[in-house]
Amino acid sequence: QVQLVESGGGLVQPGGSLRLSCAASGSIFSIYTMGWYRQAPGKQRESVATITHDGNTYVANSVKGRFSISRDNAKNTVFLQMNNLKPEDTAIYYCKAQIKGVGTGPVLPYWGQGTQVTVSS
């Protein structure tokens, strides 16, 4: 069984910063691409940033230059550093990871439970 647990969300003023963390645990053989997605009220879930096992990154244009993604493979953890936050960044942020469990079987996508980020004065 595999679990993703996010942390680091909260309320921040415009221009502020937050750092989200997502730790994977359980019967893990290997973790491939990890990423962050967000969903604002009334909107579809969108990709924010992803990072491969080797460290290749993708960052959405809407957050480029303000957000950065990184990971610690030894700790099965992915981070999202969010700077210069804007009210439009308000959303629930979800972590996703492509994971192969211990033993035989395919690589499967796993999602965290989400963490609320609210940017407001």
Side-chain angles (χ1 to χ4, degrees):
Q1 197 165 358
V2 174
Q3 188 176 19
L4 299 181
V5 178
E6 299 124 333
S7 61
L11 173 64
V12 63
Q13 292 186 342
S17 298
L18 284 174
R19 189 187 194 214
L20 305 183
S21 299
C22 172
S25 62
S27 300
I28 297 171
F29 178 77
S30 186
I31 303 178
Y32 298 91
T33 298
M34 304 183 81
W36 291 94
Y37 297 74
R38 68 185 182 184
Q39 187 166 18
K43 295 188 177 181
Q44 288 188 330
R45 190 172 298 189
E46 63 176 356
S47 175
V48 176
T50 61
I51 183 167
T52 67
H53 185 272
D54 294 336
N56 295 311
T57 61
Y58 157 83
V59 179
N61 286 334
S62 58
V63 302
K64 194 168 291 185
R66 301 187 296 120
F67 291 12
S68 62
I69 188 170
S70 61
R71 65 190 285 172
D72 183 338
N73 290 331
K75 296 182 178 180
N76 293 339
T77 301
V78 63
F79 305 96
L80 185 69
Q81 178 66 43
M82 304 185 294
N83 298 326
N84 190 22
L85 282 158
K86 303 176 179 181
E88 51 263 42
D89 295 318
T90 296
I92 299 175
Y93 284 69
Y94 297 92
C95 170
K96 179 184 176 183
Q98 300 283 347
I99 296 175
K100 181 175 177 58
V102 172
T104 60
V107 176
L108 296 175
Y110 291 88
W111 290 89
Q113 80 286 355
T115 184
Q116 177 70 47
V117 172
T118 302
V119 185
S120 175
S121 55

